[in-house]
Amino acid sequence: MHEIRIECPKIFDYEKCLDYLKRDENEVLFEVEDHKIYRAINLDGDRLLICIYYHSHYLIVEVLNDVSVNPALTEKIIAYIEEWFDFSADLSSFYQYGRKNEILKPLIRKLYGLRLIRLPNLFEAISWGIIGQQINLTFAYQLKKRLVQTYGEKITYNHKAYYIHPTVEVIANVSVQELMDIKDTNEIERSLIKIRGIGPWTAHYVMMRALGVQDAFPIGDVGLQNALKDILNLDKKPSKEQMLSLNEGWHEWSSYATFYIWRAPYIQN
């Protein structure tokens, strides 16, 4: 078993990140157990099962399956983890900015150290952006689970299967009827929405979760609208004009503002 230590940013709360990762029991691409995260990943053909836990301001990453981990692969693992937890973002700047905003100020206090958990695989982000627009989040996770278990690779460890998201090449060779059988349904944004099935919401979601764009703002997101309705004690969901006006107060950090507002219904008062 190979062990890698990754120093965490100064502002980082592992437990708050775990709370986010544990938000749905149907999640199929990783598992949280006893404060450890287990995930199967494919890094340029190297299929790995990793275990991640926190100790003394480091993320400890253990490679559990029988793979030769050389320095080049170690660097890829570190890059993957740092992107997943968005370690490159300067949260001190976001917090300094957000503490001047009446909506973000209480959220920052309660969610201090939560990183925007990203999706390092672009195709995975696009797929989830589309699947996640189902009737409710639980149903969306069930669809994702069926898709991944049907077409994804897996690593078996201690008699348990850990799945890797299917590649774009695999899904490209699946017929529409096969997918139906499992009941699947600025410049960057313009490029993304040229792809069939991707609209503005999915584009901004992918910009947030996969591409690290700091000022993405999925204005049409119902969860975002409902959370703002509750925070602001409105009689109905905010209009597009109200949403745009609110976004002016945090436009440089719209992605983190959105991510924190999404978490508002799940934190204690």
Side-chain angles (χ1 to χ4, degrees):
M1 181 171 62
H2 189 85
E3 181 180 291
I4 301 168
R5 292 167 60 87
I6 304 174
E7 186 173 6
C8 300
K10 182 178 179 180
I11 302 175
F12 177 69
D13 191 313
Y14 181 68
E15 294 299 322
K16 288 189 172 64
C17 292
L18 281 189
D19 286 343
Y20 175 78
L21 292 171
K22 293 188 295 185
R23 67 195 185 283
D24 196 285
E25 62 182 11
N26 286 307
E27 175 58 61
V28 67
L29 291 175
F30 54 83
E31 181 174 308
V32 178
E33 183 178 346
D34 296 330
H35 298 277
K36 294 182 177 181
I37 307 166
Y38 295 85
R39 179 161 198 169
I41 57 176
N42 187 332
L43 297 178
D44 299 327
D46 289 304
R47 297 163 68 248
L48 312 171
L49 177 62
I50 58 175
C51 171
I52 305 168
Y53 60 94
Y54 179 83
H55 179 70
S56 298
H57 209 57
Y58 283 85
L59 287 183
I60 311 300
V61 184
E62 296 176 348
V63 179
L64 301 179
N65 58 327
D66 187 17
V67 176
S68 177
V69 182
N70 55 35
L73 183 54
T74 297
E75 290 301 313
K76 291 180 184 179
I77 294 170
I78 293 172
Y80 182 92
I81 301 299
E82 290 183 340
E83 183 177 355
W84 190 17
F85 287 93
D86 201 30
F87 276 4
S88 64
D90 178 13
L91 286 194
S92 63
S93 178
F94 167 56
Y95 289 161
Q96 183 179 11
Y97 194 86
R99 287 190 180 104
K100 301 172 185 177
N101 183 279
E102 291 305 311
I103 292 176
L104 295 180
K105 185 177 179 179
L107 295 178
I108 288 172
R109 186 176 67 252
K110 295 171 184 176
L111 296 173
Y112 188 87
L114 172 65
R115 294 261 155 184
L116 197 164
I117 306 301
R118 291 176 57 186
L119 301 173
N121 183 293
L122 178 60
F123 181 60
E124 178 188 337
I126 292 173
S127 299
W128 179 236
I130 295 171
I131 293 172
Q133 298 178 61
Q134 301 304 315
I135 297 170
N136 57 59
L137 200 56
T138 299
F139 182 57
Y141 272 108
Q142 291 171 350
L143 284 180
K144 173 183 172 182
K145 188 173 184 178
R146 293 172 196 165
L147 181 74
V148 170
Q149 290 182 338
T150 302
Y151 300 108
E153 296 181 285
K154 68 178 180 181
I155 298 174
T156 302
Y157 180 78
N158 285 345
H159 309 291
K160 191 169 186 176
Y162 296 87
Y163 288 88
I164 300 171
H165 196 281
T167 64
V168 65
E169 291 81 10
V170 169
I171 297 301
N173 289 309
V174 178
S175 69
V176 173
Q177 185 56 51
E178 287 180 276
L179 291 176
M180 290 295 291
D181 287 342
I182 64 169
K183 296 182 174 60
D184 192 14
T185 64
N186 51 58
E187 186 62 32
I188 298 176
E189 179 184 1
R190 285 195 293 271
S191 298
L192 287 169
I193 62 178
K194 291 178 182 177
I195 302 171
R196 184 177 180 182
I198 296 183
W201 183 92
T202 305
H204 279 266
Y205 181 84
V206 170
M207 288 157 66
M208 283 177 58
R209 299 294 304 279
L211 303 180
V213 177
Q214 297 287 14
D215 59 352
F217 189 57
I219 190 170
D221 183 77
V222 174
L224 177 62
Q225 293 170 352
N226 284 331
L228 285 169
K229 174 179 174 289
D230 291 340
I231 291 170
L232 298 171
N233 293 316
L234 302 176
D235 293 330
K236 58 182 180 180
K237 291 184 291 186
S239 66
K240 179 180 179 179
E241 290 71 24
Q242 287 175 299
M243 297 282 285
L244 290 172
S245 177
L246 290 169
N247 190 45
E248 289 178 3
W250 56 60
H251 65 94
E252 293 180 18
W253 287 94
S254 297
S255 295
Y256 262 93
T258 299
F259 191 62
Y260 273 41
I261 292 168
W262 273 342
R263 296 302 294 158
Y266 306 100
I267 58 179
Q268 299 296 322
N269 292 324

